[in-house]
Amino acid sequence: MRNPLRAAAAAACVFALIATPASSEEGMWTFDNFPAARMQRDLGWAPDQAWLDRVMAGAARLPGCSGSNVSANGLMLTNHHCITACLRNLSSEQSDFLAAGFTARTREEERRCPNYSISILTGITDVTQRIDTATAGVAADAFARTRDAEIARIESECTSGQIRCEVTTLYQGGRYALYNYKRYDDVRMVFAPEQQVAAFGGDPDNYNFPRYCLDFAILRVYENGAPAATPAHLSMRFTPVTEDEVVLAVGNPGTTSRSRTTAEMAFQRDIQLPWMLNVLSETRGRLIAYSELGPNQRRLGTNALQGVENLVKRFSGQRMSLVSAENFARVTAAEQDFQARVRRNSASAREVGDAWGEISRAQDTYRGMFYRHQMLEASAAQRSQLFGWARDLVRAAEERPKPDAQRMPRYTDARISVVERSITGAQPTETDFERLNLEIWLLKLREYLTVDDPTVQRILNRQSPEELAARLSQSRLGDPAVRRQLWEGGGAAIAASDDPMIVFVRSWDTDARQVREQFETQVEGPVARAHERIARARFRAFGTNTYPDATGTPRITYGRVRGWTEGTRTVPWFTNIDGLYARATNAEPFNLSQRWIDARGRVNGATVYNIATTTESVGGASGSPLLDREGRVVGASFDGNIHATAGTFFYDPTLNRTVTVTTTAMQAALRDVYGMNALLAELGGS
């Protein structure tokens, strides 16, 4: 059952401040605080509660992405780039489903995605008071640990069977909400086009418009070995949208920083983003070289390269937005204005205290440990599957015997099933690809922490990064039977293991845990505590008339189908299939698959293909269903324009656009190119 926001929000009359008006399309809103009155005022129509409830029940959360339930028998619509990991894991040197596409013409041909789940939000409950009570009077350095312990208790009380519960921090700690999900762990591939068509235009077209990407895929969720019954699904509309039509999008946007302080944004601008871009740029170069070694390397490397190139553009755009003196001045002015308003209210001034100063000092502290925290803990070997399994095995063996509230959050009772499923499930690994990813990390580790660092010396153990990566890539953890044996054997099995990757992680995990604890007590805890006080002042000022930063949880945003004007250039709101063929060449990344070349005379060239909308989108919202006023799916959003990369920090209604592949393009593809008439009929409700 969804409860209203806590009573503190109603105190806006006590602290009468005037909020800066947001543009009508701005905002990634939670389902229990949708601004229907504002939308009605600005766009002349708004959904009622029944509409919101129905759409929430039909929206889906995928790993790092979004989607929608679009049939009574469990069909799920998302983006192609959201399921490339599944296609890669199902592929082999003989059957490359990324290159050839995947078409299951019968239920028997649908294939299960390893270690994949899809969740549907079923309810939201406010748990702010409970966490406030648990953390009352707790010192800043213990705040994160105390908060996480209470969160673990709340989640464990709720989680059972297919029901998974997560506590989400909203408004930088101003509110905590318990999200209840129904999770499907049996997810099977039904349809995916060839990657060259799904990602047509590649990196040159990425974050641009006009676009011509068939970036969609269809999955199906199963229960007890049979297609799941999903009566609360959304219907699909196969008639084209029109310019200025009102649309809404529902997804799981990952992270925004619009409520962050200028000190935190300056840290991202000066430290975090440059570091990320440096690592990603080198990774991109290594992946390009790897992809040229042979067809199997090309299969593995091309998919990884697509993700890396996307991140390079995204983070470059974010840094450019923060480097802009005009943009940063706007952020600084807004913060100074809010600080002045807080000082004018004695109650808020006492409660907030020196919160901004505490956050600034924590950022200064983080500067001194940033590279160590990233290289040893937060981003350690993040592209190595073998390392990920080994760290989970080693840490779970140590954490599982502890009381639930004392464990690291990842290993609490409510969350550990996800870890177990990843460790014990079948998922292929490639030795040379593992070696490459380990080598990249070890080289950057030595570069950023230096060869004189004691932990680096312990990690390398007088070996070069290349030598160590080659040895570690021979780990036996690629065998799921080995992983299951270690998982079930617990601490004794881990201590006795001579697997090179297990021995490696064991040898220095204490160092990683120490830097993790240092970060929690000196940075995360003080920042969270300070943000909580600022958030309460903001509640007094604005109540629930503002939206929280994105947190990777379900949100709804609204806007119109619309292009934009940039200088003297006017960008239209749509592209069509004729434009796809006109843009196509025989050279990558503008080459079409043979199926599309052969279908040229069958498809209607006027079919609306990709569209631009003013709905908001950031990473994690990929696959979001774009909905019309009746709640019907008219597309799956897959990207933003280049201006949308700044959406992490602010929204510009004149330039920010989301890019969507339309249901009209999907219909044309399934009917006229791939001959998937039975699937199309099911999507149409037959």
Side-chain angles (χ1 to χ4, degrees), residues 493-507:
I494 295 298
S497 175
D498 63 353
D499 181 86
M501 188 63 87
I502 294 290
V503 173
F504 173 72
V505 171
R506 272 198 331 241
S507 70

Side-chain angles (χ1 to χ4, degrees), residues 381-617:
Q382 60 183 351
R383 298 183 185 279
S384 167
Q385 184 64 73
L386 293 173
F387 178 85
W389 283 326
R391 173 170 273 189
D392 273 336
L393 285 164
V394 170
R395 289 188 169 179
E398 184 173 343
E399 295 294 313
R400 288 159 73 189
K402 298 178 182 178
D404 194 45
Q406 295 178 20
R407 298 180 195 172
M408 295 171 67
R410 180 171 173 80
Y411 306 103
T412 59
D413 287 340
R415 302 184 185 186
I416 201 167
S417 62
V418 177
V419 179
E420 181 178 7
R421 191 171 69 252
S422 172
I423 287 174
T424 58
Q427 184 168 333
T429 58
E430 296 280 347
T431 300
D432 62 338
F433 195 56
E434 279 288 323
R435 184 174 66 245
L436 171 70
N437 286 306
L438 288 164
E439 191 176 297
I440 292 170
W441 166 60
L442 290 167
L443 285 165
K444 303 307 286 186
L445 174 81
R446 187 177 65 180
E447 174 187 337
Y448 279 102
L449 301 190
T450 78
V451 294
D452 297 318
D453 183 271
T455 305
V456 174
Q457 293 175 355
R458 186 157 43 253
I459 288 172
L460 294 179
N461 194 22
R462 304 183 69 82
Q463 300 170 87
S464 70
E466 293 84 355
E467 291 170 331
L468 180 57
R471 185 171 67 80
L472 294 176
S473 66
Q474 301 302 314
S475 168
R476 299 185 297 278
L477 295 183
D479 184 348
V482 172
R483 300 196 302 271
R484 179 177 290 277
Q485 183 180 31
L486 289 168
W487 178 264
E488 294 175 350
I494 295 298
S497 175
D498 63 353
D499 181 86
M501 188 63 87
I502 294 290
V503 173
F504 173 72
V505 171
R506 272 198 331 241
S507 70
W508 60 276
D509 197 48
T510 299
D511 299 74
R513 281 176 170 268
Q514 286 175 347
V515 74
R516 179 189 182 93
E517 182 177 2
Q518 185 183 13
F519 173 76
E520 288 176 347
T521 57
Q522 298 181 26
V523 181
E524 183 183 15
V527 167
R529 189 54 130 179
H531 264 302
E532 187 180 79
R533 305 202 309 272
I534 294 171
R536 286 172 176 166
R538 187 172 281 112
F539 266 124
R540 284 195 178 94
F542 309 132
T544 57
N545 294 323
T546 60
Y547 57 91
D549 267 319
T551 54
T553 52
R555 300 295 180 88
I556 183 167
T557 177
Y558 64 86
R560 292 185 182 275
V561 178
R562 183 171 290 175
W564 73 97
T565 299
E566 188 172 349
T568 58
R569 175 179 174 240
T570 296
V571 181
W573 62 273
F574 77 101
T575 62
N576 58 25
I577 289 180
D578 275 341
L580 167 70
Y581 283 105
R583 204 177 188 87
T585 68
N586 293 324
E588 293 184 357
F590 297 101
N591 56 325
L592 288 172
S593 67
Q594 192 60 47
R595 280 194 183 109
W596 276 85
I597 294 172
D598 294 342
R600 181 68 182 94
R602 297 193 298 272
V603 294
N604 180 356
T607 300
V608 176
Y609 199 62
N610 291 169
I611 59 173
T613 65
T614 61
T615 53
E616 286 219 65
S617 179

Side-chain angles (χ1 to χ4, degrees), residues 96 98-99 194-197 199-205 288 291-292 294-295 298-299 301-303 305-306 309 583-593:
D96 185 353
L98 281 168
E194 306 90 335
Q195 186 170 28
Q196 69 195 95
V197 177
F200 182 84
D203 190 55
D205 270 1
I288 291 172
S291 300
E292 295 171 350
R298 180 179 178 81
R299 175 176 66 85
T302 299
N303 178 57
L305 182 61
Q306 180 183 352
E309 288 178 330
R583 204 177 188 87
T585 68
N586 293 324
E588 293 184 357
F590 297 101
N591 56 325
L592 288 172
S593 67

Side-chain angles (χ1 to χ4, degrees), residues 233-482:
H233 66 278
L234 302 175
S235 61
M236 297 183 72
R237 165 185 152 188
F238 292 113
T239 55
V241 296
T242 57
E243 186 174 14
D244 280 335
E245 181 174 347
V246 173
V247 287
L248 303 94
V250 179
N252 304 278
T255 303
T256 56
S257 299
R258 298 180 187 181
S259 298
R260 296 288 180 184
T261 66
T262 55
E264 292 171 289
M265 290 191 186
F267 184 90
Q268 287 184 281
R269 178 194 64 199
D270 300 336
I271 304 295
Q272 189 164 0
L273 287 170
W275 170 78
M276 294 166 74
L277 288 168
N278 178 286
V279 173
L280 286 168
S281 295
E282 184 161 329
T283 301
R284 177 172 57 183
R286 297 292 299 273
L287 285 171
I288 291 172
Y290 175 80
S291 300
E292 295 171 350
L293 296 177
N296 194 47
Q297 290 88 341
R298 180 179 178 81
R299 175 176 66 85
L300 295 168
T302 299
N303 178 57
L305 182 61
Q306 180 183 352
V308 168
E309 288 178 330
N310 183 66
L311 290 174
V312 168
K313 275 198 174 180
R314 180 190 304 172
F315 295 145
S316 295
Q318 290 179 9
R319 186 160 192 271
M320 286 176 62
S321 70
L322 290 179
V323 168
S324 164
E326 180 182 354
N327 286 344
F328 210 80
R330 182 170 59 181
V331 171
T332 301
E335 180 176 274
Q336 291 173 345
D337 176 72
F338 183 56
Q339 289 171 339
R341 294 171 185 269
V342 168
R343 287 193 296 270
R344 290 198 293 269
N345 181 275
S346 57
S348 285
R350 283 194 302 271
E351 181 178 41
V352 171
D354 189 29
W356 282 279
E358 291 167 20
I359 292 172
S360 180
R361 289 188 289 274
Q363 300 309 298
D364 290 339
T365 298
Y366 195 26
R367 287 172 186 260
M369 71 171 83
F370 174 76
Y371 296 133
R372 190 171 185 82
H373 177 242
Q374 291 295 327
M375 302 310 299
L376 298 180
E377 177 62 21
S379 302
Q382 60 183 351
R383 298 183 185 279
S384 167
Q385 184 64 73
L386 293 173
F387 178 85
W389 283 326
R391 173 170 273 189
D392 273 336
L393 285 164
V394 170
R395 289 188 169 179
E398 184 173 343
E399 295 294 313
R400 288 159 73 189
K402 298 178 182 178
D404 194 45
Q406 295 178 20
R407 298 180 195 172
M408 295 171 67
R410 180 171 173 80
Y411 306 103
T412 59
D413 287 340
R415 302 184 185 186
I416 201 167
S417 62
V418 177
V419 179
E420 181 178 7
R421 191 171 69 252
S422 172
I423 287 174
T424 58
Q427 184 168 333
T429 58
E430 296 280 347
T431 300
D432 62 338
F433 195 56
E434 279 288 323
R435 184 174 66 245
L436 171 70
N437 286 306
L438 288 164
E439 191 176 297
I440 292 170
W441 166 60
L442 290 167
L443 285 165
K444 303 307 286 186
L445 174 81
R446 187 177 65 180
E447 174 187 337
Y448 279 102
L449 301 190
T450 78
V451 294
D452 297 318
D453 183 271
T455 305
V456 174
Q457 293 175 355
R458 186 157 43 253
I459 288 172
L460 294 179
N461 194 22
R462 304 183 69 82
Q463 300 170 87
S464 70
E466 293 84 355
E467 291 170 331
L468 180 57
R471 185 171 67 80
L472 294 176
S473 66
Q474 301 302 314
S475 168
R476 299 185 297 278
L477 295 183
D479 184 348
V482 172

